[in-house]
């Protein structure tokens, strides 16, 4: 089974909710999706740039199942996000500081040049130059999947538009799917996984519904990262031969368990 290389950020996040939930946590789509892949029994490597504040992460307890060989380290601070949600779990404001992730595009292009065939998952989020990365993946003949982040989704979908029909799977929430339909004919897209919070998650093949699952009911502690967990689990199970329906059911269950669990703490560097 081939390793999935996940192009994206690893970040230090602070989440806020009106009922005073939230706080500092480890985040970033490249990390959370890679962790979901490995929990589902496959291999994953984040293609990311870490600053000195998270340089110890690969050696921290609990992260040894991830393949860190695609990591780049740089002087400076890692990406940080300040994320504000409403009581329904919808993101209402985000304040990023990309830090050393400004170098992610250059690192991703070098990595995909050295490892041209993939498979890859691209987390379509700023500051990544999505057009440059997808263009190189297509030229290399690599298999790839994509996901988006609502605050930047419209711009990222436009930037990725010409390559979207070449993606094996797209992961979007309901609001992102509406944006997607305004710009791309959904009948040209091989597979789209659409999530909608506690409502049914749906898989569409070339615009036609192929599977639908209502997530298990469970009060969430923290919604940030639920989509990454679902995507990583789904991709891992599909690569292992699971049917679309089974992969979607297990992926929604994994996302439900994730949001009900305590947030991922930022590990403290070990003392020498």
């Amino acid at each position: 089974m081939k390793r999935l290389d996940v192009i994206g950020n690893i970040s230090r996040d602070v989440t806020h909710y009106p009922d005073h939930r939230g706080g500092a946590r480890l985040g970033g789509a490249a990390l959370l999706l890679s962790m979901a892949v490995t929990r589902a029994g496959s291999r994953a490597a984040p293609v990311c740039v870490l600053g000195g504040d998270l340089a110890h992460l690969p050696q921290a307890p609990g992260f040894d199942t991830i393949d860190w060989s695609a990591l780049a380290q740089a002087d400076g601070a890692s990406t940080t996000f300040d994320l504000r949600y409403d009581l329904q779990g919808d993101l209402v404001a985000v304040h990023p500081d990309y830090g050393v992730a400004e170098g992610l595009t250059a690192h991703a292009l070098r990595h995909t040049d050295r490892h041209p065939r993939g498979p890859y998952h691209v987390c379509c989020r700023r500051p990544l130059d999505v057009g440059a990365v997808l263009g190189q993946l297509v030229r290399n003949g690599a298999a790839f999947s994509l996901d988006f982040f609502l605050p930047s989704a419209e711009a990222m979908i436009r930037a990725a538009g010409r390559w979207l029909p070449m993606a094996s799977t797209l992961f979007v929430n309901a609001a992102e799917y509406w944006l997607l339909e305004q710009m791309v004919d959904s009948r040209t897209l091989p597979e789209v996984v659409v999530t909608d919070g506690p409502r049914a998650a749906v898989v569409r093949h070339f615009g036609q519904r192929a599977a639908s699952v209502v997530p298990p009911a469970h009060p969430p502690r923290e919604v940030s990262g639920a989509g990454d967990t679902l995507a990583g689990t789904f991709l891992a199970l599909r690569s292992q031969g699971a049917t679309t329906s089974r992969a979607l059911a297990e992926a929604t269950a994994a996302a439900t368990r994730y949001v009900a669990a305590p947030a991922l703490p930022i590990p403290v560097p070990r003392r020498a």
Side-chain angles (χ1 to χ4, degrees):
M1 186 180 303
K2 290 186 177 180
R3 181 185 78 181
L4 180 66
D5 286 9
V6 184
I7 299 173
N9 296 322
I10 294 179
S11 59
R12 303 167 66 99
D13 296 349
V14 180
T15 59
H16 309 268
Y17 296 83
D19 59 2
H20 306 297
R21 281 179 294 141
R25 49 164 290 158
L26 192 61
L31 175 66
L32 299 177
L33 198 145
S34 295
M35 291 180 69
V37 169
T38 60
R39 282 195 297 267
S42 293
R43 299 171 58 224
V47 182
C48 63
V49 184
L50 289 184
D53 54 331
L54 291 180
H56 62 287
L57 185 59
Q59 289 78 45
F63 297 96
D64 55 343
T65 59
I66 295 174
D67 183 338
W68 293 101
S69 62
L71 164 70
Q73 294 190 355
D75 293 333
S78 300
T79 304
T80 60
F81 287 99
D82 187 274
L83 303 159
R84 296 186 179 273
Y85 295 89
D86 62 19
L87 287 175
Q88 288 70 48
D90 294 323
L91 185 65
V92 296
V94 56
H95 300 286
D97 183 345
Y98 298 116
V100 297
E102 296 287 358
L104 176 60
T105 298
H107 172 54
L109 292 174
R110 288 192 297 269
H111 179 83
T112 55
D113 190 48
R114 291 194 299 268
H115 306 276
R117 301 303 297 177
Y120 284 91
H121 181 82
V122 183
C123 306
C124 297
R125 291 149 166 78
R126 296 187 177 108
L128 187 69
D129 184 339
V130 170
V133 171
L134 294 184
Q136 180 153 296
L137 291 177
V138 170
R139 288 192 297 274
N140 291 344
F144 63 93
S145 53
L146 308 173
D147 75 274
F148 299 94
F149 182 47
L150 186 56
S152 60
E154 183 172 4
M156 290 294 181
I157 291 170
R158 290 189 187 281
R162 61 184 290 194
W163 296 287
L164 293 181
M166 304 173 200
S168 60
T169 308
L170 305 179
F171 295 90
V172 293
N173 64 25
E176 293 160 354
Y177 186 64
W178 184 87
L179 292 170
L180 185 69
E181 286 193 302
Q182 309 312 301
M183 293 180 258
V184 183
D185 184 350
S186 62
R187 294 171 297 179
T188 67
L189 304 176
E191 184 170 72
V192 183
V193 181
V194 187
T195 58
D196 194 11
R199 292 163 288 278
V202 176
V203 179
R204 297 186 181 277
H205 291 162
F206 297 105
Q208 299 298 312
R209 180 179 294 217
S212 177
V213 174
V214 176
H218 208 298
R221 290 191 186 189
E222 177 67 83
V223 300
S224 178
D228 303 320
T229 301
L230 184 145
T233 307
F234 184 90
L235 291 170
L237 292 173
R238 290 291 282 144
S239 74
Q240 296 164 21
T243 64
T244 302
S245 295
R246 180 189 155 213
L248 183 63
E250 294 197 22
T252 55
T256 299
R257 291 192 298 271
Y258 173 83
V259 300
L264 195 61
I266 300 171
V268 177
R270 292 181 177 177
R271 294 183 178 180

